[in-house]
Amino acid sequence: MTIEIIVAATGILGVMASTLVQLYLGRQQEARKKIIEIRAQAYMDLVNAVATFVHQVVSPEAIKKLEPEAIEKLLQAQSEAMLKVTQAKSRVVVVGSNGVVKAIEEFWREYGGLNTPEEKSSFTLILGGIRKDLSGKNSLSNNLLKGALFGPDAK
């Protein structure tokens, strides 16, 4: 009788242990998925905000041709776009991977614009870091990413 109780108890304990392990691993997987989802949204917000800001940039020659009220509207739009960049950048700094945060810091410390080939290359490193963080790898070259983002003639 004692052996039967031990066998039954062992079976019940095994099922309980298996259930607890599955529950623990399931929760870990869900937490990882949520982190990736949060990071992906923050990264996309940053990329979209930068694209919007760059689209608002007007050359000094073109500004000279604008009426004062058009200049005021442009400056307001640029200010709002820069606010969105700053907010998105802050979110990425909070939730992003170390590699992405380092690439962002280097880009803003060294450049902060997308006019020169060096600035474009530096920004492309941010995108490469984002790809690596979200997919676990980035097998595409920096030049290919830069060409895809800024066009085939991007230097």
Side-chain angles (χ1 to χ4, degrees):
M1 177 102 158
T2 359
I3 283 211
E4 293 167 347
I5 294 174
I6 292 173
V7 169
T10 303
I12 292 172
L13 287 175
V15 169
M16 287 174 46
S18 174
T19 301
L20 289 174
V21 167
Q22 286 179 344
L23 180 65
Y24 174 74
L25 293 176
R27 284 187 179 176
Q28 277 190 327
Q29 182 69 13
E30 284 301 313
R32 279 192 289 260
K33 283 182 184 179
K34 189 66 174 170
I35 289 170
I36 288 173
E37 185 180 305
I38 290 169
R39 283 182 175 177
Q41 186 60 54
Y43 293 154
M44 290 312 302
D45 289 347
L46 176 65
V47 171
N48 290 336
V50 168
T52 300
F53 179 74
V54 168
H55 188 68
Q56 299 289 338
V57 174
V58 178
S59 71
E61 296 81 28
I63 289 177
K64 290 177 185 175
K65 297 175 185 176
L66 296 175
E67 297 294 323
E69 52 275 351
I71 293 173
E72 184 64 34
K73 285 181 182 179
L74 175 65
L75 292 174
Q76 180 65 30
Q78 287 176 338
S79 178
E80 290 170 7
M82 192 60 193
L83 175 63
K84 288 182 180 182
V85 169
T86 301
Q87 291 169 337
K89 183 173 55 166
S90 297
R91 279 193 302 279
V92 170
V93 168
V94 171
V95 301
S97 71
N98 292 346
V100 173
V101 172
K102 287 177 185 175
I104 288 171
E105 187 279 331
E106 183 177 305
F107 173 77
W108 288 102
R109 178 175 31 87
E110 295 292 326
Y111 306 108
L114 292 172
N115 300 313
T116 68
E118 294 81 13
E119 292 169 332
K120 292 175 182 176
S121 289
S122 182
F123 186 74
T124 304
L125 290 175
I126 296 171
L127 300 181
I130 289 171
R131 289 177 53 83
K132 184 175 182 182
D133 183 33
L134 295 179
S135 69
K137 62 182 177 188
N138 178 27
S139 58
L140 301 177
S141 72
N142 194 36
N143 283 335
L144 189 125
L145 290 174
K146 186 168 54 169
L149 186 63
F150 299 108
D153 297 330
K155 302 277 188 228

